[in-house]
Amino acid sequence: MDNFQVQTNSDLETLALGKRLAQHLFPGAIILLSGCLGAGKTVLAQGIGAGLGIEEAVTSPTFTIVQEYSSGRLPFFHADLYRVESPEELEEIGFTEYWQREGVTLIEWPERLGYLVPEEYLAIKIAYCDSTQRQIAINALGSSYQQIVDNLQARA
């Protein structure tokens, strides 16, 4: 996995990174987004949604598992697996079908996927530094995702 690291110093900078990242996303893209509670995962997701042209407010789908947005350049499927207890629970609801729907699937708490982790994806980890600073690491697994990392590095 190649790695791109950036530090953001405010929610606005994290939002801007999400918008920038969205410019390089493609139909079927999968993003696994990890970080502790309050790290800024939803802020980054809001930036990605805005960068895709989503008109609705992107909110955390904690109680619905997946929030679907279709008003942008690509459909955006924002999943929060915090309350999921097993990969079997996700299989029962057909969760992996989102990956074939030609949109962008962003998954918070991806460790809950277990054996359902896709072969290729963009992994983003947000680390909380202090009340405003975040360290964000973006890793590519697969050539399509490597192109995204390369584009982000070229414009850093």
Side-chain angles (χ1 to χ4, degrees), residues 14 33-36 39-41 44 124-128 134-136:
T14 302
L33 178 58
S34 60
C36 63
K41 295 183 300 293
L44 187 66
I124 303 176
K125 181 166 179 67
I126 301 178
Y128 180 88
R134 303 294 185 266
Q135 187 67 36
I136 302 173

Side-chain angles (χ1 to χ4, degrees), residues 71-127:
S71 62
R73 170 176 73 83
L74 295 169
F76 184 43
F77 311 118
H78 181 195
D80 184 328
L81 305 185
Y82 184 74
R83 299 188 186 286
V84 171
E85 297 194 16
S86 70
E88 291 80 14
E89 186 179 335
L90 294 169
E91 276 187 310
E92 287 175 20
I93 64 169
F95 181 76
T96 60
E97 292 174 16
Y98 280 101
W99 304 340
Q100 277 74 55
R101 291 186 53 193
E102 299 299 305
V104 172
T105 303
L106 181 143
I107 303 167
E108 294 187 33
W109 303 98
E111 61 274 10
R112 308 287 167 94
L113 286 169
Y115 59 84
L116 296 176
V117 170
E119 289 183 23
E120 296 189 354
Y121 55 87
L122 194 66
I124 303 176
K125 181 166 179 67
I126 301 178

Side-chain angles (χ1 to χ4, degrees), residues 1-22:
M1 270 201 251
D2 261 2
N3 188 299
F4 171 71
Q5 293 208 18
V6 63
Q7 180 174 303
T8 60
N9 297 303
S10 67
D11 282 351
L12 286 176
E13 287 185 16
T14 302
L15 199 69
L17 176 64
K19 288 178 183 178
R20 200 169 116 213
L21 174 61

Side-chain angles (χ1 to χ4, degrees), residues 135-152:
Q135 187 67 36
I136 302 173
I138 302 175
N139 296 291
L141 189 66
S143 59
S144 299
Y145 298 99
Q146 183 58 52
Q147 187 62 48
I148 293 171
V149 170
D150 292 346
N151 288 334
L152 290 172

Side-chain angles (χ1 to χ4, degrees), residues 10-67:
S10 67
D11 282 351
L12 286 176
E13 287 185 16
T14 302
L15 199 69
L17 176 64
K19 288 178 183 178
R20 200 169 116 213
L21 174 61
Q23 296 171 4
H24 306 288
L25 295 173
F26 52 87
I30 301 169
I31 301 168
L32 304 186
L33 178 58
S34 60
C36 63
L37 286 171
K41 295 183 300 293
T42 300
V43 173
L44 187 66
Q46 290 168 338
I48 291 169
L52 290 171
I54 302 300
E55 296 169 0
E56 306 97 306
V58 172
T59 60
S60 181
T62 301
F63 297 102
T64 59
I65 298 180
V66 180
Q67 188 71 268

